[in-house]
Amino acid sequence: MGRSGALASASMTRPRLHLFDLDGTLLHGTSAPVQISRQLGLEAETLALDVEIGAQRIGPPEYARRIHALWSQLTVDHVAAAFEGAPWLLGIRETWAEIRERGDYCAVVSLSPSFFVERLTAWGAHAACGSRFPAVPFTEPVDPAGVLSAAAKVKIANRLCEGFGVGQEDCIAYGDSLSDVDLFGAVPVSVAVNADQYVVGLATHSYTGRDLREAYELVRRGR
Ligand SMILES: [Mg+2]
């Protein structure tokens, strides 16, 4: 669609907001903490933490406290290498460019650390929100008050809606796991991406594969 087409469609229809989860959704089969920890040779320890939080034996604040302790040697170069080397779905930048071209909005909301999540604004996300961690390398503890939860994802989505002037009835959520279920319940359209059967059952659409353009295609026409 050319520029004039995008302007025309934006003026004829209400803008939509596409909300993307990160771990297991934009990142295929892994989490940002595991990818960061790989750079430090601490992948196994972090996979164990992911199992614990996945089984809800620990909550997000305890997960953040333990991961912060694990990353005492973390540098900005490690974070950059983890971001560049991670198994991203194909077509993320292309999908977000098309969303922008249509006059819609795209945002990432993730429980993972803000210093990783925020890098996605360089790929075209209008906003990227994660759990607030201190600057890398760490000289301060992580504040549990800044760590996000599944419920916090809904609050952030509401705040983003206000900021962009988009109604909650015009939101689409993409996610893979239990931490997305609250948000799926709050918006009318949801895409389970490489999700288990329970999460698939709570979404309006389901996608299995490695290309975000294909997941977006399920809801592109919308309304
Ligand atoms: Mg996820």
Side-chain angles (χ1 to χ4, degrees):
M1 186 187 291
R3 187 170 188 79
S4 59
L7 291 174
S9 76
S11 64
M12 284 186 298
T13 58
R14 299 198 306 264
R16 299 196 296 173
L17 169 59
H18 296 257
L19 296 155
F20 298 91
D21 171 55
L22 174 65
D23 301 325
T25 302
L26 297 177
L27 283 176
H28 187 259
T30 189
S31 68
V34 168
Q35 295 303 307
I36 292 165
S37 286
R38 277 185 70 184
Q39 302 293 324
L40 298 164
L42 297 167
E43 190 174 359
E45 290 84 341
T46 308
L47 281 168
L49 278 181
D50 276 13
V51 169
E52 288 210 56
I53 196 170
Q56 299 186 315
R57 285 197 292 272
I58 59 171
E62 177 64 11
Y63 181 94
R65 193 188 64 75
R66 292 208 214 165
I67 205 86
H68 175 275
L70 212 52
W71 290 344
S72 60
Q73 303 302 311
L74 188 66
T75 66
V76 171
D77 285 349
H78 289 129
V79 178
F83 187 90
E84 278 153 32
W88 298 102
L89 287 193
L90 299 171
I92 294 175
R93 276 168 281 202
E94 292 83 352
T95 301
W96 292 351
E98 187 177 335
I99 287 171
R100 283 176 165 268
E101 180 107 343
R102 292 170 71 93
D104 290 340
Y105 296 94
C106 44
V108 182
V109 184
S110 168
L111 273 53
S112 269
S114 49
F115 60 77
F116 189 94
V117 179
E118 286 164 4
R119 288 176 174 259
L120 286 163
T121 55
W123 285 11
H126 288 93
C129 312
S131 288
R132 198 172 66 242
F133 268 63
V136 175
F138 297 147
T139 57
E140 294 163 40
V142 60
D143 178 0
V147 177
L148 302 186
S149 63
K153 277 192 167 192
V154 178
K155 283 188 198 150
I156 289 172
N158 289 338
R159 214 170 60 211
L160 291 169
C161 278
E162 262 176 52
F164 294 135
V166 174
Q168 206 177 46
E169 68 277 15
D170 292 314
C171 288
I172 302 106
Y174 303 70
D176 70 299
S177 78
L178 282 180
S179 67
D180 303 299
V181 163
D182 288 10
L183 190 55
F184 281 10
V187 301
V189 181
S190 48
V191 185
V193 178
N194 296 317
D196 64 33
Q197 276 311 308
Y198 176 71
V199 175
V200 167
L202 296 170
T204 60
H205 298 74
S206 174
Y207 172 70
T208 304
R210 304 221 32 176
D211 195 322
L212 190 64
R213 288 165 291 202
E214 295 170 359
Y216 172 66
E217 185 61 29
L218 298 174
V219 296
R220 185 171 64 84
R221 286 178 185 85
R223 291 191 272 276

